[in-house]
């Protein structure tokens, strides 16, 4: 099994964080190194940065991985303009790697794996041949959609959708306004559904914490279950 772990990395100033953007990525790398898993064959950092800033970020993260063999063997970098939010970042990485991977684990940089084997509750849902994507939380506002979008996608389904539509996600790729990010969240899996697949979440199995813009903690899912993805506000690494 070959899983491509993809992190959408926003390298600007956050609305509700005081951390340096470097710290989010370093926290991810440290956590992935701690929870080493041979099924993760590639770790793709999608850095949404201006072209003139890319080299400094690349050099910093590249050097961090050099004395960590697990990371050094797997790290991969993509650089792109900061448009289309995480959905466009994930799509770019999927298109580049969908012939090699079996699955994609798609996450934003402010959530970290919570334990070794964090992806398995998502993978379990994908064993249903009709499910192409397992998100963190299904929402029923504005219709059924991935209310917490991070999750896992089957590469075979990504290829089917791409062959049918020339893209994978139904998103506003040029968007920079927050409202269009919300639109993409509601609709990004529309094409997959048109191709005959559906999506689910593992909320009956796992705890899914979420911090709102005011840093209030909201608990979704099974409060007694393990927490596969933890908001970075909860984690010190």
């Amino acid at each position: 099994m070959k899983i491509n772990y993809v992190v959408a990395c926003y390298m600007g100033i956050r609305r509700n964080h005081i951390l340096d953007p470097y710290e989010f990525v370093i926290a991810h790398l440290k956590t992935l190194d701690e929870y080493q898993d041979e099924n993760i064959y590639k770790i793709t950092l999608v850095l949404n940065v201006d072209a003139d800033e890319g080299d400094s970020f690349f050099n910093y993260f590249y050097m961090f991985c050099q004395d960590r063999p697990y990371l050094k063997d797997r790290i991969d970098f993509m650089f792109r303009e900061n448009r289309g939010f995480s959905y466009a970042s994930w799509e770019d990485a999927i298109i580049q790697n969908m012939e090699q991977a079996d699955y994609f684990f798609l996450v934003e940089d402010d959530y970290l794996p919570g334990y070794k084997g964090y992806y398995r509750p998502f993978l379990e849902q994908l064993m249903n041949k009709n499910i192409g994507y397992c998100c963190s939380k299904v929402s029923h506002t504005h219709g059924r959609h991935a209310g917490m979008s991070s999750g896992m996608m089957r590469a075979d389904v990504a290829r089917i959708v791409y062959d049918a539509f020339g893209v994978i996600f139904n998103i506003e790729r040029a968007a920079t306004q927050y409202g269009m990010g919300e639109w993409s969240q509601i609709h990004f899996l529309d094409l997959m559904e048109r191709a005959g697949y559906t999506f689910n979440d593992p909320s009956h199995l796992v705890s899914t914490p979420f911090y709102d813009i005011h840093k209030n903690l909201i608990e979704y899912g099974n409060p007694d279950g393990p927490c596969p993805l933890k908001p970075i506000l909860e984690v010190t690494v």
Side-chain angles (χ1 to χ4, degrees):
M1 179 168 57
K2 297 173 66 176
I3 301 171
N4 187 179
Y5 187 99
V6 180
V7 190
C9 304
Y10 175 60
M11 308 314 295
I13 303 301
R14 314 280 169 138
R15 293 179 300 164
N16 59 343
H17 286 286
I18 60 172
L19 292 178
D20 186 288
Y22 286 90
E23 295 184 66
F24 289 88
V25 179
I26 292 300
H28 252 282
L29 293 173
K30 288 181 177 179
T31 304
L32 291 168
D33 198 37
E34 178 183 356
Y35 299 142
Q36 294 185 14
D37 191 310
E38 293 305 311
N39 289 324
I40 305 296
Y41 87 102
K42 181 181 285 189
I43 298 166
T44 302
L45 302 182
V46 186
L47 301 173
N48 293 275
V49 294
D50 293 333
D52 58 352
E53 297 179 302
D55 286 348
S56 61
F57 286 112
F58 169 79
N59 290 334
Y60 188 86
F61 300 134
Y62 177 81
M63 293 307 299
F64 179 85
C65 295
Q66 292 311 291
D67 60 350
R68 296 167 173 83
Y70 178 81
L71 297 178
K72 181 180 178 181
D73 290 345
R74 289 165 174 79
I75 197 67
D76 180 46
F77 297 91
M78 293 182 65
F79 299 90
R80 62 185 306 279
E81 189 177 1
N82 186 31
R83 293 182 179 274
F85 299 91
S86 298
Y87 311 100
S89 298
W90 293 339
E91 183 181 65
D92 283 354
I94 292 171
I95 290 171
Q96 181 171 294
N97 295 289
M98 62 185 175
E99 297 301 330
Q100 295 79 43
D102 298 316
Y103 300 94
F104 294 92
F105 196 87
L106 307 172
V107 66
E108 296 175 321
D109 60 5
D110 55 354
Y111 273 76
L112 300 177
Y115 56 86
K116 188 175 177 66
Y118 53 88
Y119 58 83
R120 293 195 176 278
F122 298 86
L123 181 63
E124 181 176 324
Q125 300 301 305
L126 297 180
M127 294 299 100
N128 182 329
K129 66 180 182 180
N130 297 315
I131 296 176
Y133 194 99
C134 181
C135 64
S136 294
K137 178 185 180 298
V138 172
S139 175
H140 295 274
T141 59
H142 309 291
R144 186 176 184 272
H145 69 279
M148 293 177 68
S149 307
S150 293
M152 200 165 185
M153 186 172 197
R154 286 167 46 191
D156 64 327
V157 172
R159 291 191 293 269
I160 289 169
V161 177
Y162 185 76
D163 288 345
F165 301 103
V167 294
I168 296 168
F169 296 146
N170 184 34
I171 56 176
E172 290 288 342
R173 286 168 187 79
T176 58
Q177 298 291 329
Y178 183 73
M180 292 313 299
E182 291 183 320
W183 187 94
S184 292
Q185 180 185 54
I186 293 168
H187 295 286
F188 82 103
L189 295 176
D190 288 357
L191 300 179
M192 186 191 74
E193 290 188 286
R194 285 174 59 185
Y197 296 90
T198 189
F199 60 94
N200 206 347
D201 66 28
S203 59
H204 62 295
L205 299 172
V206 303
S207 169
T208 308
F210 172 77
Y211 279 104
D212 68 16
I213 192 172
H214 304 295
K215 299 183 182 179
N216 298 313
L217 177 63
I218 304 171
E219 295 277 4
Y220 296 111
N222 180 351
D224 298 320
C227 181
L229 287 174
K230 294 184 177 182
I232 207 164
L233 280 175
E234 283 194 348
V235 181
T236 302
V237 295

